[in-house]
Amino acid sequence: LCPAATPFLFDPAADLQQGGAVILSPFKMVELSSQLAAPAVDFMRSRSAAEARYIVEAALNSLEVEGLSIENTEAPGGLSKPQLKELLASATLILMEGAKEAATAQEIQDVFGEDASAAEGVKEFTSLYTKAVPLLRSQILMKSGFSLDHVTGVTWREDFERKGRHLHKNAGPRYYISLHRENSGKKLEPLSFACTADELADLVARLKDAVKQVERLS
């Protein structure tokens, strides 16, 4: 199980259960799933800053996040490989969902409960989250999000095919069009095509109809 592929399960009406206590999630739009978030919540509330730092570093490494310098630490003791795997997935969930919702440091800290604000592991996790969130948003979320191509410009030319040796009648104008596109700030190859005057008129009519449909939805 890759932590980055862990499903984000949310229940807007639910509270985050941890250790028998009820912890209200700080996120206004969604609630973190208690089953997925609980391992990281339990760990950060009871472990040292160094151990928390190791988990956050491992989570960021699994996401291939670059540009954040974290002091090297040893792996926390008392954890089996399955437990460590579950913990990394849980920590990654909180980091990624926090970055997606642009959660503040206080909101992330509140995930672990009001009574855990002084815990070394919680403070370290929150501090590293604050440093990592710009990188998570720019390196992971912008690349993994689904978005349609944007048309940024158009170039075109008009050609006339006239009657000649190989053409027995005038064919009228023919249009060669290139649509310039980009996606997530990256320029793409132009979408080029040729059409007749009637085909161009049909295309323009369809585009106008699409614009009207979008305006109705908005």
Side-chain angles (χ1 to χ4, degrees):
L1 176 64
C2 173
T6 302
F8 291 172
L9 305 178
F10 305 108
D11 179 4
D15 294 331
L16 180 61
Q17 302 285 340
Q18 188 275 326
V22 176
I23 302 176
L24 298 178
S25 169
F27 301 120
K28 305 303 180 183
M29 298 176 60
V30 296
E31 297 281 342
L32 288 173
S33 166
S34 60
Q35 184 178 2
L36 294 175
V41 169
D42 290 339
F43 184 87
M44 300 303 166
R45 286 167 60 95
S46 60
R47 296 299 188 108
S48 68
E51 291 173 310
R53 189 159 55 248
Y54 176 89
I55 295 301
V56 173
E57 180 182 22
L60 294 175
N61 285 340
S62 71
L63 295 171
E64 298 183 353
V65 175
E66 300 177 350
L68 184 64
S69 177
I70 300 179
E71 179 183 349
N72 292 330
T73 55
E74 295 183 0
L79 294 175
S80 65
K81 287 186 177 180
Q83 288 175 322
L84 182 59
K85 186 177 180 180
E86 182 182 42
L87 178 57
L88 288 176
S90 179
T92 302
L93 166 68
I94 299 175
L95 289 169
M96 289 297 294
E97 187 57 31
K100 187 179 75 171
E101 298 296 328
T104 64
Q106 184 60 54
E107 287 175 326
I108 289 295
Q109 190 174 38
D110 288 346
V111 168
F112 302 96
E114 295 181 1
D115 60 331
S117 59
E120 289 186 12
V122 172
K123 289 192 292 185
E124 186 67 14
F125 185 98
T126 304
S127 174
L128 293 174
Y129 162 81
T130 303
K131 297 176 182 178
V133 67
L135 302 176
L136 289 169
R137 292 179 66 85
S138 63
Q139 296 182 25
I140 306 298
L141 295 176
M142 287 186 65
K143 294 180 181 179
S144 61
F146 173 78
S147 62
L148 299 175
D149 297 344
H150 295 275
V151 176
T152 58
V154 58
T155 55
W156 61 279
R157 79 172 192 268
E158 182 183 38
D159 287 352
F160 284 89
E161 297 180 350
R162 301 181 63 84
K163 182 179 179 180
R165 176 185 297 181
H166 303 291
L167 190 64
H168 300 293
K169 64 178 181 178
N170 293 335
R174 190 168 185 81
Y175 298 91
Y176 296 87
I177 300 172
S178 291
L179 300 178
H180 302 280
R181 306 171 297 152
E182 69 175 33
N183 194 321
S184 299
K186 181 180 180 181
K187 291 186 178 181
L188 306 176
E189 287 292 326
L191 178 63
S192 301
F193 58 93
C195 60
T196 65
D198 290 340
E199 290 171 336
L200 181 59
D202 181 64
L203 174 61
V204 172
R206 290 173 181 270
L207 289 174
K208 288 182 178 180
D209 182 62
V211 170
K212 290 180 181 179
Q213 295 297 331
V214 172
E215 289 176 345
R216 290 173 185 173
L217 292 175
S218 58

